[in-house]
Amino acid sequence: MVEEKHTPLFDVIEVRKEFPILSRKIYNKELVYLDNGATSQKPKVVIDAIEKYYKEDNANIHRGVHHLSQVATDEYEQARTAIQKYINAPTSSEVIFTAGTTASINTIAFSFGELMNEGDEIIISAMEHHSNIVPWQLLCERKKCILRVIDINDEGELNLAHFDELLNERTKLVAVTHISNTLGTINPIEAIIEKSHNVGAKVMIDGAQSIQHLKIDVQALDCDFFVFSGHKVFGPTGTGILFGKKEILDAMPPYQGGGDMIAKVTFEKTTYNELPHKFEAGTPNISGGIALGVAIDYLSKKDLDAIHSYEQELQTYAEQEILKIEGARIIGTAKDKTSVVSFFIDGLHPFDVGTLLDKQGVAVRTGHHCTQPLMDFFEIPGTIRASFAFYNTKEEVDVFIKALKRSVNMLK
Ligand SMILES: *Cc1c(COP(=O)(O)O)cnc(C)c1O
């Protein structure tokens, strides 16, 4: 890599060395990975943890009396505690391992949904990921509940006045994303949580795009649920977290039945295990959970505030350069946004641009980003999205912009 021209807030050159994949080449060009909103790359410590687990510690957890089973159980539970501390959950029993954000939301939609009645209302927003839309639609069909959607403005910000109109005593749950994966908008979740609690509604925050960028404190936020995926926070795929307040989780019936989630099984009646196991049926992704703990430990040693400013710097710089291209339009211009630059170039299909960028070693995402209703709102088929992580550099943005200009010239 060339030397940094600006003053870095932390040593990005050193950080990059921790991610083996960043030094690989694509079509003989240096990889410029700007698809962090889809999944993040993994530091060596995370990759090593998975390998170590299978080489040295592999056994099933919470079951065996033998040594390896106890080692595996300890490591898995230590990971849970690391995650609990990181998000400042009151207890580790409120931190449930899942397969990802989607799995966490479906668990809540089913189990919390069992406590809902006909005519109860759920509020989401117009910028939600499909995985924070469809589970609620399924619940509404099953329980005859009503789904309400908070409008957004042309900048891609939530219309809080509209939210006030939607909120009422029938609202049982408000489920909104902390940061939009398509627009980068940071939503005012503190205000949303407070307003919701004022009418007695519970709040679920989709943290899939915020856990890797902002410091999360679930007690300070006072959210009832906070969910995220491991793979977007430098951990493995197939892992995720569902944080829920104990009294709410206790009131909810289990989602899936099976091993580990029971206290006693007879054919007449089964009693359920205590939290968090009540929501963890079957053998989990043990190596994944352990490695997610390692990823969270890794992140906890970084200065998140410095990372946040640095990523915003990259995003602002990219936006400024993209706007110099004729016909370019940024989708998502919220005052409070981070790490995501979605854009559209008049007359060009995002997919064609993305394909040409790929040939130049630049990985971006094109399409609707699992937010089709949002694309309908902006009346576009999709966007080109560059999404940043703290290992990206200003020089990479330069490579991206140069490649983008070449692509646009080839297509025009
Ligand atoms: C990625 C994402 C999801 C879904 O996460 P999975 O890891 O695919 O389960 C949900 N919400 C947002 C905001 C996302 O970015």
Side-chain angles (χ1 to χ4, degrees):
M1 288 304 304
V2 264
E3 252 193 17
E4 290 284 281
K5 284 185 212 101
H6 61 131
T7 328
L9 293 155
F10 58 93
D11 197 342
V12 66
I13 304 298
E14 282 306 308
V15 163
R16 290 182 67 83
K17 290 182 190 153
E18 294 162 359
F19 291 78
I21 208 171
L22 296 181
S23 55
R24 83 155 275 184
K25 292 209 160 43
I26 303 288
Y27 310 117
N28 244 339
K29 309 223 160 47
E30 284 199 34
L31 166 67
V32 174
Y33 186 77
L34 302 180
D35 195 17
N36 296 285
T39 198
S40 63
Q41 298 302 349
K42 320 303 169 201
K44 189 162 181 301
V45 283
V46 168
I47 301 167
D48 288 349
I50 296 170
E51 191 182 341
K52 176 186 178 289
Y53 172 77
Y54 282 117
K55 276 190 168 163
E56 297 174 23
D57 306 329
N58 179 48
N60 211 332
I61 55 169
H62 303 144
R63 287 176 173 84
V65 289
H66 62 81
H67 180 75
L68 280 185
S69 176
Q70 281 167 12
V71 169
T73 304
D74 286 349
E75 288 183 357
Y76 196 66
E77 291 309 318
Q78 272 163 23
R80 193 192 306 275
T81 306
I83 296 158
Q84 174 217 338
K85 298 240 161 72
Y86 191 72
I87 62 172
N88 195 28
T91 65
S92 64
S93 64
E94 293 159 294
V95 175
I96 294 155
F97 279 113
T98 68
T101 304
T102 305
S104 298
I105 297 176
N106 276 281
T107 302
I108 298 167
F110 178 83
S111 298
F112 186 78
E114 281 299 281
L115 308 176
M116 294 182 63
N117 299 306
E118 184 172 345
D120 284 349
E121 299 182 5
I122 301 156
I123 299 179
I124 60 171
S125 87
M127 66 173 83
E128 298 310 317
H129 188 283
H130 294 163
S131 69
N132 196 28
I133 301 174
V134 186
W136 308 116
Q137 290 175 325
L138 291 169
L139 165 61
C140 286
E141 263 179 55
R142 186 163 57 90
K143 286 287 195 164
K144 299 195 170 55
C145 297
I146 299 157
L147 191 62
R148 308 266 187 217
V149 184
I150 313 167
D151 288 341
I152 55 169
N153 63 18
D154 290 339
E155 283 69 50
E157 297 166 328
L158 291 181
N159 178 343
L160 287 185
H162 185 231
F163 176 55
D164 288 337
E165 282 169 36
L166 296 179
L167 262 182
N168 65 68
E169 67 286 353
R170 290 183 305 279
T171 312
K172 289 293 171 306
L173 186 75
V174 176
V176 289
T177 193
H178 193 177
I179 297 183
S180 160
N181 62 308
T182 305
L183 309 170
T185 309
I186 305 176
N187 286 321
I189 56 168
E190 294 83 356
I192 290 172
I193 292 165
E194 195 185 332
K195 285 168 188 279
S196 305
H197 285 169
N198 286 343
V199 300
K202 306 296 184 208
V203 183
M204 187 211 87
I205 302 299
D206 175 350
Q209 296 291 341
S210 64
I211 186 83
Q212 64 282 54
H213 300 299
L214 303 176
K215 191 77 197 76
I216 301 299
D217 180 333
V218 293
Q219 290 190 73
L221 284 172
D222 197 27
C223 54
D224 302 286
F225 300 104
F226 189 93
V227 300
F228 63 89
S229 296
H231 71 98
K232 291 179 181 174
V233 62
F234 317 110
T237 55
T239 65
I241 292 296
L242 187 181
F243 158 79
K245 284 183 183 167
K246 184 174 187 311
E247 65 272 20
I248 305 173
L249 293 174
D250 275 336
M252 287 160 50
Y255 177 44
Q256 294 181 317
D260 227 23
M261 56 74 72
I262 49 84
K264 183 171 166 56
V265 177
T266 67
F267 286 116
E268 289 70 40
K269 181 162 175 54
T270 291
T271 51
Y272 308 129
N273 202 342
E274 57 197 19
L275 292 173
H277 311 293
K278 182 171 103 176
F279 289 103
E280 295 181 347
T283 301
N285 180 353
I286 303 170
S287 67
I290 293 169
L292 175 55
V294 172
I296 291 291
D297 268 341
Y298 167 83
L299 192 59
S300 72
K301 294 186 187 108
K302 307 280 181 217
D303 178 348
L304 259 267
D305 289 335
I307 285 177
H308 182 50
S309 325
Y310 176 72
E311 289 172 336
Q312 260 175 341
E313 208 179 287
L314 292 177
Q315 168 218 321
T316 317
Y317 177 59
E319 284 180 345
Q320 171 200 314
E321 294 303 307
I322 288 166
L323 284 174
K324 290 179 184 163
I325 296 170
E326 203 191 310
R329 197 174 127 204
I330 305 283
I331 308 296
T333 48
K335 278 185 280 306
D336 205 7
K337 70 175 280 191
T338 193
S339 305
V340 172
V341 181
S342 253
F343 61 101
F344 186 78
I345 297 171
D346 279 340
L348 301 186
H349 200 285
F351 179 81
D352 296 334
V353 180
T355 306
L356 288 178
L357 285 173
D358 172 58
K359 293 285 177 294
Q360 299 168 81
V362 180
V364 295
R365 179 81 174 252
T366 65
H368 54 62
H369 319 294
C370 298
T371 53
Q372 275 179 11
L374 192 56
M375 297 297 102
D376 294 344
F377 174 83
F378 285 104
E379 297 178 337
I380 50 176
T383 73
I384 305 154
R385 181 188 72 181
S387 49
F388 304 102
F390 65 107
Y391 44 64
N392 288 126
T393 65
K394 194 153 175 267
E395 286 69 28
E396 286 185 306
V397 177
D398 288 333
V399 173
F400 158 56
I401 295 295
K402 213 170 141 200
L404 179 62
K405 286 181 178 159
R406 279 185 64 191
S407 311
V408 171
N409 286 336
M410 285 163 86
L411 291 166
K412 279 230 161 124

